Amino acid sequence: ASDGWLGHGTGPLCRYPDRPAFHQRYDFVPDAETQVLTMPLTPTHLGPGLFAYSLKPRLFNFWALALGSMMMDGENVFWTIVNLFRSCTPACGHHGFFHSILGAVLGSLVLSFVLKLVSDRLKKSWPVPKLFCSSLLGWLSHIIFDSLVHADVFLFWPLNANPFLMSWKLYWPLSLALSVLSLLSLLIILLKVISKKKHERTLDNLF
């Protein structure tokens, strides 16, 4: 066995600890079936960001929240494909730098400036601080929830540790809860939009 990128493992890019005590403690068995069952359901992570937006839409930018909640999972696809072509056990992880707090900050900075350029083109003039805070909120909520069920999520990278890991068995209940939160938030946003339009029509009729 050898140390892999961002952690311990039994091959190149393997990042799950391979100590038996670790698996017993967290009820985690990194076999092929588990690897398939815990592939990311990225859209479910929209829940916390959408909920925040539904409560205080003026404080956040919708697009920064939405993209900030999902962009980091691009590296999941990348590492999953890379692991297919490497001499790697099923215990290899598919999370990396952008599932850390540092990655969230840098990723949100890049995303906020890109969205600023887009908004200027569209003559929307979205402020960078608002874009950054919106993206960072979505990004952090995503990786914090991931850290509860994925052993290869290291929030405090470059430290190769996940003190928040509980059990991969929380994956589906957590995904279901986030999905319900997403739908509830979208319903609240829709109702607010309808209410706003009705109010504007009332004002038009008065004047």
Side-chain angles (χ1 to χ4, degrees), residues 146-197:
D146 271 359
S147 71
L148 300 178
V149 295
H150 294 294
D152 61 335
V153 173
F154 304 128
L155 293 181
F156 305 106
W157 185 91
L159 295 178
N160 298 341
N162 183 353
F164 305 110
L165 182 64
M166 298 177 67
S167 172
W168 68 268
K169 290 183 178 180
L170 290 176
Y171 179 80
W172 287 110
L174 194 58
S175 296
L176 178 59
L178 291 174
S179 298
V180 171
L181 183 61
S182 298
L183 293 175
L184 176 62
S185 302
L186 286 173
L187 179 60
I188 295 173
I189 293 171
L190 179 61
L191 291 175
K192 285 189 173 184
V193 169
I194 293 173
S195 177
K196 182 179 179 181
K197 288 186 175 181

Side-chain angles (χ1 to χ4, degrees), residues 111-121 125-128 131:
L111 178 59
S112 60
F113 281 107
V114 170
L115 288 177
K116 174 61 176 174
L117 292 175
V118 173
S119 71
D120 289 345
R121 291 256 183 166
S125 189
W126 294 334
V128 170
L131 292 170

Side-chain angles (χ1 to χ4, degrees), residues 20-158:
F22 177 91
H23 303 312
Q24 292 172 8
R25 177 182 175 187
Y26 293 108
D27 202 14
F28 181 86
V29 183
D31 54 19
E33 181 181 2
T34 298
Q35 190 77 345
V36 172
L37 288 175
T38 56
M39 288 300 289
L41 291 177
T42 304
T44 64
H45 286 284
L46 287 168
L50 287 178
F51 186 67
Y53 183 82
S54 71
L55 297 179
K56 295 290 182 180
R58 293 184 180 180
L59 294 181
F60 304 103
N61 178 275
F62 177 85
W63 296 109
L65 268 173
L67 292 174
S69 298
M70 299 188 295
M71 283 194 63
M72 72 294 295
D73 274 355
E75 72 176 354
N76 294 15
V77 177
F78 172 78
W79 284 117
T80 299
I81 294 173
V82 168
N83 289 339
L84 291 175
F85 295 95
R86 301 297 294 263
S87 173
C88 193
T89 70
C92 291
H94 50 267
H95 300 87
F97 171 73
F98 288 106
H99 280 74
S100 68
I101 294 174
L102 181 58
V105 172
L106 293 180
S108 293
L109 276 174
V110 172
L111 178 59
S112 60
F113 281 107
V114 170
L115 288 177
K116 174 61 176 174
L117 292 175
V118 173
S119 71
D120 289 345
R121 291 256 183 166
L122 298 175
K123 298 181 180 180
K124 297 284 188 179
S125 189
W126 294 334
V128 170
K130 185 175 183 178
L131 292 170
F132 174 75
C133 292
S134 299
S135 174
L136 187 61
L137 174 63
W139 207 300
L140 288 177
S141 68
H142 181 128
I143 63 176
I144 288 171
F145 279 116
D146 271 359
S147 71
L148 300 178
V149 295
H150 294 294
D152 61 335
V153 173
F154 304 128
L155 293 181
F156 305 106
W157 185 91

